[in-house]
């Protein structure tokens, strides 16, 4: 009976297995029968996913233009997954091509289930992209101090202390800072922002510029972007306000609203009022605004008194040391300074315009020509400022400089204008020859305070206009400048004398069919949509619209008009057009005819992923110098020979165009700048391309995943998510251009042993090396090879960033035994090491001698690190450069030392003293295994430590006070000296709350 039962059970399971195999075969057969149809469906899904990823990338880049935040890792991870899937899809398609009928159909049968699985993954990624799982928002945890002018004068510093006292007062929930335009309210608020970030690192400080033409919805969007809040698809202002209020009211928030011009209903906006969880600070020209909003404290920023005004004027005047301040000139200068009425903006601008003027005649003439004399206090003073600013504008020596200054007012109020972007437009306008001249002009305008300058966190520079400067520029120009329009201005506003028209960030719904403004002198027309919102604007431009602009129009900018489906044929008749911008016009499918556009110098179709083929007549653009084709379709067809005909091309930026041959790029003899993405090592690793790159002034190359945002280095190559082993495990030797400055390697496999053994040669020009997330690498390079080849690696290296290299044991193989050439690392300024868990020692004592120019040393999250600078097994022998009798290590230029999350760290300098005479900041968190602290401070003649004048603070955790008290010191006086400069941080108990920040 039992035997029969057992046999029955075995039969049942055999039948079940057979049925499952039959069902599996049926599923495979069904997949095989529908294979071609399913492949087309998948192709359409991948295309849509590619467009959605491009759209998200564009939104992120524009969000990042604010410079205050970096993108969240979840968003970056989603973009990487998309790119990896696209690569897998291309490989999948290739795997079923190029075979006979029988073999091809056999492959379809085998790969039917793989096709089904890939389709599901695409759908899942698209769903994540549309849902809240992946919001195009930025990481609020990574903030940066604002780049701001120094505070001048005792009064300004007292003002900062007074307002900060109110910030610390829990009973004060709102502060209004008011004063006339140009008096320094924004500068004061920026210093307040930086001080709050520094003094209270747990606070979430958000900076939002309001401006004159604000509305509630726009302001909600700006606050949300600053705070990293995603509204998703919420359109209702009341619901958006509730989301904002909920976030701002519970997160220890300080919200700074700069440049408020009118009353704001905080309830409608979504800003908690009289809520101790959210402190509001606003700057405004109008005291009434502060009263209406109900600020708890009001602070008036006043103009300088006569002494303070003269001191500021004199400091700016003699800044370049190219003026001799004789008694006579000082008398004239004081007279001119009085005309500024104590207004900082006017004082700086006027003083800068008189730099280098060393004869009395010119000073007397300047005073005589200064219109209207000294304006009165109050409202008349602000009106009089226009005369001062215009005087400085008139003092510009060259007409080009004046036109470039005026051109900046085409951008919206308070806009940070990327330097590279506006310089290319100035080139198209004929106002400068090339990038170098453009930067020279902008730098000069900054130097004389007509423009303000700065940099975002990634080193990209920008300029902006003070609102008074912009108002003055608009007053003296023949421009029509408006933003955020919903309707195009009536024809009566389009007067014949207009020279430039700009409607940036506008949401114009329609241009009437019979609309044909008569502007024969118009040289610039900018109808730019809002780049971050994705509104649907007008779908077409009437043919008549450009009819009376044909003769003089040089620049046409239709960027970010996401609803535009086709371009008017009349564009093809703009024979004097020098610049055509179609950035982000994602729905247009073709470009206009090019035969008559022979003067065109700049063509920008970044983000036009609806275009699948470049026109054949593009080869007629014999004058084209700048061509931008980034974030276009992966399937963009470039007709053979078209690029090679563009003989005058200086700058060519594109994105993963596999059918572009290196030979065509090689034909571009005048090329200076090149940017491209390559899917794999094979596409990049060819001699023709590398030799061409060596001839260029600038290039930015990405190999592998293409969603890497490199910094602003001139010549950079990034390898990401690729395998260096090659096919069948073969070793690949990668070619690199000899003039490369920046090399970044991220998420790559096959880098076992020495990382740089995978490259045929490495340039001595390399200034930055970053290696992230490699689980196999053990060293950066082999010391023996350096000696054998008489090489001088890293002679120019300034930054070395190593992150998450789990098997890395040291920088150089054999560094404890072999003495490296003196010039190795001799230029290094910044060393960042994080997540290298196999390291027990960071630097050997012998190698330290090469780090004499090191300024920043950051080490964190290395679980097994025991010593930062230590003596190796072989050191101390006759081979070492440092005598064994010496017990002091010196890093003469080290300014910033940061040691975090190093649980096994026993010693910083392995029993030696480490003197750092330039030290400014020391930060030590979660390193409680250290028992003895080296002497960081320099020693005076009496052998006593002292603080360098540049020293700022030592940062420690409050819950580690007991550890601090238990430390042994070489000189106990040093502890007493440092204690007066300790900044205690109060982090959460969990070590995980110490965020692993990417120093890059």
């Amino acid at each position: 009976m039992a035997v029969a039962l057992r046999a029955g059970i075995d039969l049942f399971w055999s039948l079940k297995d057979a049925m499952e195999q039959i069902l599996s075969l049926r599923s495979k057969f069904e997949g095989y029968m529908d294979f071609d149809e399913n492949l087309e469906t998948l192709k359409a899904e991948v295309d849509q996913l590619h467009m959605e990823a491009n759209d998200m990338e564009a939104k992120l880049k524009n969000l990042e233009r604010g410079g205050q935040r970096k993108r969240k890792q979840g968003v970056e991870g989603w973009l990487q997954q998309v790119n990896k899937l696209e690569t897998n899809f291309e490989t999948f398609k290739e795997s079923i091509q190029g075979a006979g009928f029988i073999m091809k159909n056999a492959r379809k049968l085998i790969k039917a289930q793989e096709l089904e699985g890939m389709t599901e993954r695409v759908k899942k990624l698209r769903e994540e992209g549309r849902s809240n799982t992946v919001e195009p928002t930025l990481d609020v945890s990574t903030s940066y101090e604002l780049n701001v002018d120094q505070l001048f004068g005792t009064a300004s510093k007292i003002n900062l202390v007074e307002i900060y006292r109110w910030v610390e007062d829990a009973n004060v929930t709102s502060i209004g800072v008011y004063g006339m335009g140009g008096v320094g309210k924004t500068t004061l608020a920026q210093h307040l922002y930086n001080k709050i970030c520094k003094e209270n690192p747990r606070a979430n400080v958000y900076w939002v510029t309001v401006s004159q033409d604000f509305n509630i919805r726009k302001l909600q969007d700006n606050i949300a972007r600053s705070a990293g809040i995603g509204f998703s698809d919420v359109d209702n202002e009341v619901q958006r306000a509730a989301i904002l209020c909920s976030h701002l009211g519970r997160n220890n928030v300080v919200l700074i609203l700069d440049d408020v011009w009118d009353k704001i209903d905080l309830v409608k906006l979504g800003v908690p009022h009289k809520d101790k969880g959210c402190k509001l600070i606003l700057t405004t020209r109008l005291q009434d605004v502060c009263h209406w909003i109900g600020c708890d404290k009001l602070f008036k920023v006043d103009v300088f008194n006569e002494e303070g005004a003269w001191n500021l004027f004199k400091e700016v005047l003699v800044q370049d040391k190219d003026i001799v301040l004789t008694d006579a000139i000082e008398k004239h200068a004081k007279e001119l300074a009085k005309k500024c009425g104590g207004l900082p903006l006017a004082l700086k601008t006027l003083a800068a315009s008189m730099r280098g003027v060393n004869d009395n005649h010119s000073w007397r003439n300047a005073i005589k020509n200064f219109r209207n004399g000294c304006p009165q206090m109050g409202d008349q003073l602000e009106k009089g400022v226009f005369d001062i600013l215009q005087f400085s504008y008139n003092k510009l020596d060259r007409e080009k400089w004046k036109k470039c200054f005026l051109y900046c007012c085409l951008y919206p109020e308070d806009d940070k204008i990327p330097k590279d972007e506006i310089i290319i437009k100035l080139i198209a306008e004929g106002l400068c020859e090339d990038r170098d001249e453009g930067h020279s002009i902008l730098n000069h305008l900054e130097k004389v305070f007509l423009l303000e300058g700065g940099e975002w966190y990634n080193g990209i520079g920008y300029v902006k206009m003070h609102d008074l400067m912009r108002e003055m520029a608009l007053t003296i120009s023949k421009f029509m400048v408006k933003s955020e329009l919903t309707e195009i201005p009536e024809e009566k506003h389009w007067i014949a004398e207009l020279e430039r028209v700009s409607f940036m960030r506008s949401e114009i719904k329609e241009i009437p069919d019979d609309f044909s403004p008569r502007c024969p002198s118009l040289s610039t027309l900018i109808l730019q949509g809002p780049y971050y919102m994705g509104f649907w604007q007008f779908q077409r431009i009437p043919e008549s619209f450009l009819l009376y602009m044909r003769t003089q129009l040089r620049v046409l900018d239709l960027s970010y008009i996401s609803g535009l489906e086709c371009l008017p044929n009349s564009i093809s008749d703009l024979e004097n057009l020098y610049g055509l911008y179609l950035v982000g016009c994602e729905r247009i499918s073709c470009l206009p005819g090019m035969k008559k556009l022979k003067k065109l110098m700049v063509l920008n179709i970044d983000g036009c992923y609806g275009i699948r083929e470049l026109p054949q007549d593009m080869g007629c653009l014999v004058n084209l110098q700048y061509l931008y084709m980034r974030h276009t379709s992966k399937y963009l067809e470039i007709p053979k020979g078209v690029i090679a005909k563009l003989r005058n091309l200086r700058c060519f930026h594109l994105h993963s165009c596999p059918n572009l041959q290196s030979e065509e790029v090689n034909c571009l003899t005048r090329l200076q700048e090149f940017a491209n993405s390559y899917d794999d090592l094979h596409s990049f690793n060819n001699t023709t391309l590398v030799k061409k790159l060596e001839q260029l002034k600038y290039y930015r190359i990405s190999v592998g995943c293409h969603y890497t945002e490199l910094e602003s280095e001139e010549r950079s190559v990034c390898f990401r998510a690729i395998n260096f082993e090659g096919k069948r495990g073969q070793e690949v030797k990668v070619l690199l251009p000899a003039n490369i400055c920046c090399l970044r390697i991220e998420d790559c496999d096959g880098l076992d042993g020495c990382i740089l053994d995978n490259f045929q040669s490495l340039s001595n020009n390399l200034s930055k090396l970053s290696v992230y997330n490699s689980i196999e690498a053990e060293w950066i390079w082999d010391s023996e090879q350096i000696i054998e080849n008489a090489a001088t690696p890293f002679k120019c290296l300034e930054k070395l960033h190593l992150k998450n290299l789990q098997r890395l044991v040291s920088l150089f193989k054999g560094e404890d035994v072999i003495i490296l050439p003196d010039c190795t690392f001799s230029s290094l300024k910044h060393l960042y090491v994080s997540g290298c868990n196999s390291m027990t020692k960071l630097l050997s004592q012998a190698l330290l001698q090469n780090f004499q120019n090191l300024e920043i040393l950051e080490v964190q999250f290395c679980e097994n690190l025991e010593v930062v600078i230590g003596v190796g097994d072989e050191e101390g022998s006759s081979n070492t450069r440092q005598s064994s009798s010496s017990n002091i290590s010196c890093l003469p230029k080290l300014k910033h030392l940061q040691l975090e999350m190093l649980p096994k760290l026993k010693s910083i300098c392995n029993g030696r003293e480490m003197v750092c005479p330039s030290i400014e900041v020391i930060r030590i968190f979660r390193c409680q295994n250290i028992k003895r602290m080296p002497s960081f401070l320099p020693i005076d003649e009496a052998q006593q430590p002292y603080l360098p004048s540049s020293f700022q603070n030592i940062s420690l955790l409050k819950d580690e006070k007991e550890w601090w008290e238990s430390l042994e010191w070489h000189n106990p006086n040093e502890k007493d000296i440092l204690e007066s400069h300790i900044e205690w941080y109060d982090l959460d108990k969990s070590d995980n709350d110490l965020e692993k920040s990417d120093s890059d």
Side-chain angles (χ1 to χ4, degrees), residues 1 70 150 152 190 229 271 301 487 502 531 542 587 594 632 649 657 661 682 684 749 752 791 854 859 918 934:
M1 177 99 179
K70 289 184 179 179
Q150 69 176 34
F152 183 85
Q190 288 172 330
I229 304 169
V271 174
V301 183
E487 295 181 356
S502 174
Y531 52 71
R587 301 185 71 188
M594 301 284 186
T632 51
L649 208 59
C657 292
Q661 300 299 314
H682 177 73
F684 167 75
D749 296 325
D752 55 322
L854 190 67
V859 189
S918 304

Side-chain angles (χ1 to χ4, degrees), residues 572-796:
S572 301
D573 296 326
L574 299 175
E575 297 184 9
N576 289 310
L577 195 67
Y578 284 79
L580 178 59
Y581 291 81
L582 303 170
V583 182
C585 292
E586 56 196 46
R587 301 185 71 188
I588 61 172
S589 57
C590 61
L591 292 172
M594 301 284 186
K595 289 183 179 179
K596 294 183 180 179
L597 305 182
K598 293 183 179 179
K599 293 184 179 180
L600 197 68
M601 291 177 63
V602 181
L603 176 61
N604 193 330
I605 59 171
D606 284 352
C608 293
Y609 42 73
I611 298 175
R612 294 303 174 92
E613 185 176 7
L614 296 183
Q616 188 72 47
D617 63 359
M618 193 167 161
C620 298
L621 301 179
V622 292
N623 197 42
L624 193 68
Q625 297 182 24
Y626 298 87
L627 176 58
Y628 299 92
M629 297 166 43
R630 295 163 296 197
H631 302 291
T632 51
S633 171
K634 282 191 72 169
Y635 310 108
L636 178 68
E637 290 291 331
I638 302 177
K640 189 175 181 179
V642 165
I643 298 300
K645 292 178 181 177
L646 306 176
R647 298 285 182 176
N648 284 306
L649 208 59
R650 293 185 184 181
C651 174
F652 186 22
H653 290 199
L654 67 161
H655 178 86
S656 187
C657 292
N659 62 338
L660 177 65
Q661 300 299 314
S662 298
E663 289 73 16
E664 288 209 51
V665 177
N666 207 38
C667 291
L668 303 174
T669 56
R670 297 192 178 184
L671 194 67
Q672 297 176 0
E673 301 179 21
F674 181 64
N676 195 12
S677 302
Y678 296 90
D679 291 330
D680 50 45
L681 278 177
H682 177 73
S683 303
F684 167 75
N685 203 26
N686 71 78
T687 306
T688 303
L689 174 62
V690 170
K691 286 193 175 296
K692 183 63 180 179
L693 294 178
E694 291 175 349
Q695 301 170 14
L696 304 183
K697 178 180 178 182
Y698 170 99
Y699 52 79
R700 184 176 294 181
I701 303 297
S702 176
V703 184
C705 290
H706 311 315
Y707 294 108
T708 299
E709 187 64 22
L710 293 176
E711 294 186 20
S712 56
E713 280 85 6
E714 289 184 346
R715 297 179 293 276
S716 57
V717 178
C718 172
F719 298 94
R720 187 170 191 177
I722 60 172
N723 194 326
F724 278 81
E725 286 185 350
K727 295 181 179 179
R728 299 177 183 176
Q730 294 176 349
E731 184 181 5
V732 176
K733 285 285 188 179
V734 179
L735 290 167
L736 286 176
N739 59 350
I740 184 174
C741 291
C742 173
L743 174 61
R744 178 166 174 153
I745 304 168
E746 187 168 354
D747 297 312
C748 292
D749 296 325
L751 292 172
D752 55 322
C754 295
I755 292 173
L756 298 182
D757 283 353
N758 294 276
F759 299 92
Q760 284 195 16
S761 62
L762 194 65
S763 166
N764 288 332
N765 296 312
L766 195 69
S767 62
K768 180 174 180 180
L769 173 62
S770 302
V771 186
Y772 297 154
N773 308 326
S774 171
I775 62 173
E776 298 148 324
E778 297 176 76
W779 303 278
I780 303 300
W781 214 349
D782 190 337
S783 300
E784 290 186 8
Q785 289 187 16
I786 296 172
I787 301 302
E788 288 174 7
N789 300 328
T792 54
F794 306 134
K795 180 174 66 175
C796 298

Side-chain angles (χ1 to χ4, degrees), residues 65 403-411 416-429 431-432 435 438-439 442 445 451 461-465 504 581:
R65 289 176 76 175
K403 289 182 178 180
C404 290
F405 167 73
L406 294 179
Y407 201 88
C408 293
C409 77
L410 296 175
Y411 285 77
K416 291 179 179 176
I417 310 166
K419 283 186 176 181
D420 280 343
E421 176 183 309
I422 194 168
I423 285 171
I424 299 302
K425 284 191 173 177
L426 294 176
I427 292 171
E429 297 283 1
L431 298 178
C432 63
R435 286 185 189 275
H439 279 287
L442 293 181
L445 294 174
L451 293 179
Y462 65 80
V463 292
K464 69 187 292 278
M465 295 186 99
M504 285 192 185
Y581 291 81

Side-chain angles (χ1 to χ4, degrees), residues 436-459:
D436 290 339
E437 186 183 6
H439 279 287
S440 176
I441 292 172
L442 293 181
N443 291 340
H444 180 77
L445 294 174
E446 286 181 50
K447 187 177 177 182
V448 297
F449 294 101
L450 288 171
L451 293 179
E452 301 168 17
E455 283 187 354
W456 284 296
Y457 72 85
N458 53 4

Side-chain angles (χ1 to χ4, degrees), residues 279-431:
K279 200 172 290 279
L280 174 66
I281 301 170
L282 61 90
T283 72
T284 178
R285 296 187 188 184
L286 307 170
Q287 186 178 0
D288 288 348
V289 169
C290 302
H291 287 306
W292 194 91
I293 289 176
C295 294
D296 295 334
K297 296 289 185 179
L298 271 66
F299 191 93
K300 182 180 181 182
V301 183
D302 233 326
V303 296
F304 284 141
N305 59 27
E306 187 172 329
E307 180 184 0
W310 165 241
N311 288 336
L312 175 58
F313 190 93
K314 182 170 68 173
E315 181 179 272
V316 175
L317 183 67
V318 302
Q319 183 172 306
D320 291 341
K321 299 180 181 179
D322 56 359
I323 186 170
V324 179
L325 206 58
T326 63
D327 291 342
I329 288 179
E330 182 170 330
K331 178 183 176 183
H332 297 318
K334 284 183 174 179
E335 185 177 349
L336 204 54
K338 286 180 181 178
K339 295 183 179 295
C340 298
L343 193 68
L345 176 65
L347 286 161
K348 291 193 293 184
T349 307
L350 188 56
S353 71
M354 296 301 293
R355 283 186 192 142
V357 179
N358 277 304
D359 64 284
N360 291 329
H361 301 292
S362 298
W363 278 94
R364 284 198 295 266
N365 189 56
I367 293 169
K368 182 180 69 175
N369 290 336
F370 198 87
R371 295 188 298 141
N372 297 332
C374 179
Q376 301 300 311
M377 296 299 289
D379 294 339
Q380 288 301 313
L381 177 54
E382 190 162 324
K383 294 175 183 176
V385 171
F386 272 50
D387 294 329
I388 298 170
L389 303 185
Q390 190 169 346
F391 177 84
S392 300
Y393 166 80
N394 290 334
K395 285 281 292 178
L396 292 172
D397 294 334
R398 302 177 190 175
E399 198 63 29
K400 268 188 179 182
W401 293 353
K402 293 180 179 179
K403 289 182 178 180
C404 290
F405 167 73
L406 294 179
Y407 201 88
C408 293
C409 77
L410 296 175
Y411 285 77
E413 185 180 355
D414 297 309
D415 216 31
K416 291 179 179 176
I417 310 166
K419 283 186 176 181
D420 280 343
E421 176 183 309
I422 194 168
I423 285 171
I424 299 302
K425 284 191 173 177
L426 294 176
I427 292 171
E429 297 283 1
L431 298 178

